[in-house]
Amino acid sequence: METDPNLLVGRETSDDAGVYKLRDDLALIQTLDFFTPIVNDPYRFGQIAAVNALSDIYAMGGQPLTAMNIVCFPKKTLDKSVLKEILKGGLQKIHEAGALLVGGHSVDDVELKYGLSITGIVHPDKIMTNAGARPGDHLILTKPIGTGIIATALKAKSASLEAEEAMISMMIQSNRSAAEAMQDIGAHGCTDITGFGLLGHSLEMATASKCGMTLYASRVPIIPYALKYAQMGLVPGGTHANRNFCHHSLNVDSGVSTYMLDILSDAQTSGGLLISIAQDRSSLLLKKLHERGLSEAVIIGEISGDSKDPFITVLP
Ligand code: CO
Ligand code: CO
Ligand code: CO
């Protein structure tokens, strides 16, 4: 493992991004993410990929400055106009974030992939890691979950237009205002919900913070139809892998259905922030989040106390 006094966040705690201190009042945040398309529309795929990549900067409490594109493109089988639309969507979200596109790299590949590397800054005292949760904290989730399941239904041509639109509008919604509200009110810890699902990223937070955690399944906001598609078995492989990975660290109440566990484990793209905040400040943060249009932000659980063996209790 890398050790350096200026390396404030490295790989040890499975956090969202690396953080390197430049000066006492300035640290650099770096992150990288890319993946295959999850929607058919190239412009919106570009938007989703950019919002997803920017999210790791926001999850660390930072401000994005510059972006670089990473492109794998099958130039023999796809028209160049598709790539143009993807990059246009990405650029729109980079600009919306107040950041600049400064470069990138593309290779010829059989499968299309797009993503970005983002560089941001943060004051070293304002860094939000996943290791900061404290016993007694409330856990706030800022966006509904279920994108992996709906994307799977979409691929199986079983998704309703309403579910597809709900999923896309969720994925292109930036975590910027949530992060700003979190910094205004002051939170203890944060991470964003992506590939390891709500349970996987919660477990990372519990482990890094050396705490236990209680989640209330019925409080977790879910994108319309995701529960129905989970019941139909439209669950991506990554979601089952997440469930198996978390299995030994979970204490699941018998009142929580298997479908609900699928949803809670569902691999997300461009998910919301999971924020750990002192109990007496959580209602103030919720109010701020709702004022900023994040109407589905809600308290989904709490940090249940120190635990030698990190675990999550899932209650109905
Ligand atoms: Co992340
Ligand atoms: Co990431
Ligand atoms: Co190059």
Side-chain angles (χ1 to χ4, degrees), residues 79-137:
D79 193 81
K80 246 187 154 176
S81 63
V82 174
L83 180 56
K84 238 174 121 180
E85 281 301 300
I86 292 172
L87 298 180
K88 226 166 95 184
L91 189 62
Q92 189 267 321
K93 286 297 179 184
I94 294 166
H95 286 167
E96 187 188 272
L100 297 171
L101 181 69
V102 296
H105 187 76
S106 62
V107 294
D108 190 9
D109 194 358
V110 286
E111 193 179 30
L112 171 63
K113 299 170 199 86
Y114 171 62
L116 306 95
S117 166
I118 312 279
T119 299
I121 49 168
V122 65
H123 191 292
D125 298 341
K126 287 271 199 174
I127 300 169
M128 284 287 159
T129 70
N130 64 4
R134 296 178 206 170
D137 278 3

Side-chain angles (χ1 to χ4, degrees), residues 32-173:
L32 162 67
D33 220 331
F34 69 120
F35 42 74
T36 55
I38 44 166
V39 293
N40 297 320
D41 178 31
Y43 183 80
R44 297 218 270 188
F45 171 52
Q47 287 184 307
I48 292 164
V51 170
N52 178 76
L54 287 158
S55 174
D56 278 329
I57 302 288
Y58 294 129
M60 300 306 291
Q63 176 200 341
L65 291 184
T66 58
M68 294 208 270
N69 287 327
I70 300 125
V71 178
C72 303
F73 194 75
K75 62 181 182 192
K76 287 178 204 82
T77 53
L78 269 184
D79 193 81
K80 246 187 154 176
S81 63
V82 174
L83 180 56
K84 238 174 121 180
E85 281 301 300
I86 292 172
L87 298 180
K88 226 166 95 184
L91 189 62
Q92 189 267 321
K93 286 297 179 184
I94 294 166
H95 286 167
E96 187 188 272
L100 297 171
L101 181 69
V102 296
H105 187 76
S106 62
V107 294
D108 190 9
D109 194 358
V110 286
E111 193 179 30
L112 171 63
K113 299 170 199 86
Y114 171 62
L116 306 95
S117 166
I118 312 279
T119 299
I121 49 168
V122 65
H123 191 292
D125 298 341
K126 287 271 199 174
I127 300 169
M128 284 287 159
T129 70
N130 64 4
R134 296 178 206 170
D137 278 3
H138 275 160
L139 287 165
I140 292 178
L141 179 65
T142 65
K143 281 187 193 179
I145 58 173
T147 65
I149 287 165
I150 292 175
T152 302
L154 198 62
K155 275 187 193 129
K157 305 213 187 310
S158 302
S160 72
L161 196 63
E162 193 190 341
E164 183 184 356
E165 283 305 315
M167 172 188 76
I168 292 173
S169 69
M170 206 281 294
M171 290 190 296
I172 62 175
Q173 180 190 85

